[in-house]
Amino acid sequence: MFMYSHLGTVMQTKIAEIADGIYRLSTFVPDIAPPAGFTFNQFLILGDEPLMFHTGLRKMFPVNHDALGRIMPPERLRWLAYGHYEADECGAMNEWLAIAPHAEPAHGRTGCMVSLNDMADRLPRMLQDGEVIELGRGKRVRYIDTPHTPHGWDAGVVYEESTGTLLCGDIFTQLGDGPALHGSDIVGPAIEAENLFNYSSLSPDMGTTLRVLAELSANTLALMHGPSFSGDGRAALGELADFYDRRSSDRRMVAA
Ligand SMILES: [Fe+2]
Ligand SMILES: [Fe+2]
């Protein structure tokens, strides 16, 4: 769908701290879905054992490596986690493992069994649904299985408990190069992107899964594709759940 051949040579990555000790590394690609363009965001959670959520595309490794190096020595990375097995989520995994000798991939059971146990150059840590990784300096990251939400049977998200930050992966994907953090609507733009890309699996369980995430009452939602959101995470996830319930019910009626 997307051409990534020239990335890494022309892109610039912007850095912003979106919550205490959580950094957004954002690369805007104007050639994807023009004229709006599209962002790819990695999130670094600092601690004694720093964790990065998404490795980024393999072809963006040079720009992301440079950006991370402006925050901390990249070789100190300890954990590499991501939403599901796909190029933008984990394409650069082995590049990071090569430069960070103590880094380990961490993902859910399905993802480890169907992809990581073979594809990762270092054995992954297999996380159970709800398992916590203590990063030190008060940072605690909880892994939550979200199968087929928004896509990928290995899908999952992580929640940093001390800051109330939910790292959403592809959930709430939107176009454009907005601010790093804002409090405006993210549901409408997510519906626009869904209408354009049809990227969600439309599993009948999507609404239920999103409501489980709403129960966290996160106050920051970190989007992989779009700005981060500061505000009522419960309400935003509830609205998105309602949308997907309607959309999957409409599709079933068309198919019947
Ligand atoms: Fe994806
Ligand atoms: Fe993505």
Side-chain angles (χ1 to χ4, degrees), residues 15-31:
I15 298 173
E17 187 174 11
I18 57 140
D20 180 38
I22 302 183
Y23 292 83
R24 174 181 184 263
L25 286 61
S26 182
T27 307
F28 177 61
V29 182
D31 295 341

Side-chain angles (χ1 to χ4, degrees), residues 184-206:
S184 306
D185 176 44
I186 56 169
V187 179
I191 293 171
E192 270 178 50
E194 178 64 51
N195 289 338
L196 179 69
F197 294 133
N198 288 307
Y199 69 91
S200 294
S201 67
L202 295 185
S203 150
D205 296 328
M206 270 189 79

Side-chain angles (χ1 to χ4, degrees), residues 84 86 88-89 151 170 225:
H84 48 273
E86 211 165 47
D88 57 335
E89 273 77 14
H151 51 245
D170 286 348
H225 308 288

Side-chain angles (χ1 to χ4, degrees), residues 94-115:
N94 289 329
E95 277 77 0
W96 290 110
L97 292 177
I99 61 99
H102 303 294
E104 284 179 63
H107 196 25
R109 177 181 169 79
T110 302
C112 290
M113 290 178 61
V114 303
S115 296

